Amino acid sequence: AQTVTQSQPEMSVQEAETVTLSCTYDTSESDYYLFWYKQPPSRQMILVIRQEAYKQQNATENRFSVNFQKAAKSFSLKISDSQLGDAAMYFCALEIRAGNQFYFGTGTSLTVIP
Amino acid sequence: KAGVTQTPRYLIKTRGQQVTLSCSPISGHRSVSWYQQTPGQGLQFLFEYFSETQRNKGNFPGRFSGRQFSNSRSEMNVSTLELGDSALYLCASSPQAGATNEKLFFGSGTQLSVL
C-alpha cells in the first residue's frame, strides 16, 4: 500500500522569506513520480513541480524547488521569496508508474503574511 | 483550449437522495479520474476511467459509481446520500492512461453538502 504524509497542517511565512513544506511517503515500488500541487481558494489544483524518482537531481521551477531524499522517502518543497499569491493549500502526491494511480497527502495550508 | 469543467459548482441534497456530478475533460484527454476531498483527509481516489472503461477503483462503497461516455465526458453518481458524503468532489483529466508522469489537470470541483 502507498501512503503520503504531510505532518504540517498549517504553515505561515513572511512575504519575501523562504518556507519549506514537508512530505514523506511510503511505497514498495521502485518506479514512481512525486508531485506538489497547489490549491488556491478557487479550488482548482495546479501543478507546482514534479520529480522523477530515478533522477537524483532535485527539480526546480523558478522560486520552487524540492529536496528529494529517496532513501529517507522524503520530498519537501521549498518556496523562496514568498509572495502573497503563494497562499494556498499545498498537496504532495505520489504516482506509481505501474497503475497510473495518484496518492495524495492531507495538505498543508500556507499563509503568507504581508 | 478549455480546461476541465465540472458542473454544478455547488449542490445541496438531503440524506437518502441521490446525486449525479458531471465532468468534461480537456479536449483530447481520454482519462478521467475522480477524487473526494474532505478537511483532514486530503484527496481520496474514487475511480478512473479511460475510453469508457473503469481502470482503477478506490476504497469506496458501491453507492459511489461512475461512467464515461464516448466523448470522454464522465459522470459520478452517489446513491442514498449520507451526511459523511459532504465533500468537494474533484475531477481530473490526463491525455492517456498507462503513460505515467502525466500531470493531472483538475477542475474546480463540485461542493456537495448533505443535510
Side-chain angles (χ1 to χ4, degrees):
Chain A
Q2 278 63 232
T3 60
V4 178
T5 302
Q6 293 178 251
S7 58
Q8 306 155 315
E10 297 177 345
M11 292 280 286
S12 62
V13 62
Q14 291 285 145
E15 195 175 3
E17 296 295 309
T18 296
V19 65
T20 298
L21 308 184
S22 301
C23 173
T24 58
Y25 61 93
D26 191 23
T27 180
S28 58
E29 301 286 338
S30 59
D31 199 359
Y32 53 88
Y33 300 93
L34 293 160
F35 302 79
W36 278 98
Y37 278 88
K38 167 186 176 181
Q39 186 181 44
S42 68
R43 307 184 323 200
Q44 187 165 28
M45 303 269 278
I46 302 164
L47 177 67
V48 175
I49 198 166
R50 66 183 161 198
Q51 172 83 42
E52 291 88 343
Y54 63 85
K55 287 188 177 178
Q56 291 189 333
Q57 186 174 7
N58 289 324
T60 62
E61 195 74 39
N62 300 316
R63 298 182 295 106
F64 299 88
S65 62
V66 298
N67 183 5
F68 175 44
Q69 301 290 325
K70 191 170 184 178
K73 295 182 179 175
S74 170
F75 183 61
S76 61
L77 173 69
K78 185 171 84 170
I79 306 174
S80 304
D81 185 26
S82 296
Q83 301 175 0
L84 295 178
D86 295 333
M89 181 74 82
Y90 287 81
F91 290 93
C92 178
L94 164 71
E95 184 193 12
I96 304 302
R97 183 174 176 86
N100 197 37
Q101 187 167 331
F102 280 73
Y103 302 86
F104 286 83
T106 52
T108 296
S109 178
L110 178 66
T111 300
V112 180
I113 303 166
Chain B
K1 200 181 238 187
V4 178
T5 304
Q6 289 189 248
T7 55
R9 280 185 65 86
Y10 300 93
L11 206 49
I12 299 175
K13 292 286 187 179
T14 56
R15 279 182 299 175
Q17 288 187 309
Q18 75 165 18
V19 66
T20 299
L21 312 182
S22 179
C23 173
S24 294
I26 291 173
S27 178
H29 285 195
R30 296 167 64 190
S31 173
V32 173
S33 51
W34 289 88
Y35 294 84
Q36 181 194 66
Q37 183 181 355
T38 54
Q41 294 292 316
L43 277 73
Q44 303 290 315
F45 173 73
L46 280 155
F47 27 66
E48 184 216 352
Y49 287 87
F50 179 76
S51 293
E52 303 178 65
T53 300
Q54 187 181 88
R55 281 190 355 114
N56 288 305
K57 189 177 193 305
N59 189 27
F60 278 82
R63 299 185 297 106
F64 292 81
S65 62
R67 59 178 175 169
Q68 186 180 34
F69 301 95
S70 58
N71 62 358
S72 293
R73 190 178 72 85
S74 178
E75 288 183 347
M76 190 192 94
N77 185 75
V78 187
S79 62
T80 319
L81 283 166
E82 300 178 359
L83 295 178
D85 297 333
S86 295
L88 177 67
Y89 290 88
L90 292 167
C91 164
S93 74
S94 62
Q96 54 188 338
T100 54
N101 197 30
E102 293 286 351
K103 69 174 185 176
L104 297 177
F105 294 81
F106 283 86
S108 297
T110 294
Q111 183 66 54
L112 172 65
S113 297
V114 182
L115 306 179

